[in-house]
Amino acid sequence: MDLSKLELPELLTLKSDLEQEIKRREHDAKDKARKQIVEIAKTYGLSVEDVLAKTGTTRKPVEAKYRHPDHPELTWTGRGRKPVWVQELLASGKTMEDLTI
């Protein structure tokens, strides 16, 4: 098809038809994939929820290693960027050992 020979209204109609066809095919592809997933789950005696459930062990939170000496609710694990309160205490002359829990 030589698009350069089409008039603007014909191109707009073609564009609209193309967008509708793409949506229809995407819908059909999703339906097909859902059916395949259900069939695979049934083959192994599983529900779809079982297949999609997260697996593995859950990670427990990392315990804090540092605590503000005057405000014990302020803690830090030592991972990531230093919190502002840690930076301020270090700038005032404290050491990381002073903040260790």
Side-chain angles (χ1 to χ4, degrees):
M1 171 183 283
D2 186 4
L3 298 178
S4 64
K5 293 182 180 179
L6 295 177
E7 296 293 325
L8 181 59
E10 295 170 312
L11 287 171
L12 293 173
T13 299
L14 182 62
K15 178 184 174 188
S16 174
D17 292 346
L18 182 61
E19 288 171 350
Q20 289 176 6
E21 183 63 18
I22 289 171
K23 285 181 185 178
R24 187 188 66 74
R25 289 192 189 193
E26 285 175 342
H27 182 267
D28 290 349
K30 287 178 186 177
D31 281 347
K32 182 179 177 183
R34 280 188 198 99
K35 289 176 185 175
Q36 288 175 337
I37 291 169
V38 169
E39 285 303 313
I40 292 170
K42 284 181 184 177
T43 299
Y44 290 95
L46 302 169
S47 70
V48 175
E49 290 78 18
D50 291 336
V51 173
L52 299 179
K54 290 185 178 183
T55 59
T57 59
T58 57
R59 300 165 103 189
K60 67 177 187 175
V62 178
E63 292 185 30
K65 294 180 183 177
Y66 305 99
R67 176 174 285 131
H68 193 292
D70 300 326
H71 302 283
E73 71 277 3
L74 296 176
T75 60
W76 179 47
T77 63
R79 295 185 177 181
R81 296 180 71 190
K82 289 181 181 136
V84 173
W85 64 266
V86 171
Q87 294 173 12
E88 289 172 350
L89 288 170
L90 293 175
S92 72
K94 296 274 187 188
T95 65
M96 290 303 291
E97 290 82 27
D98 296 332
L99 306 177
T100 303
I101 295 175

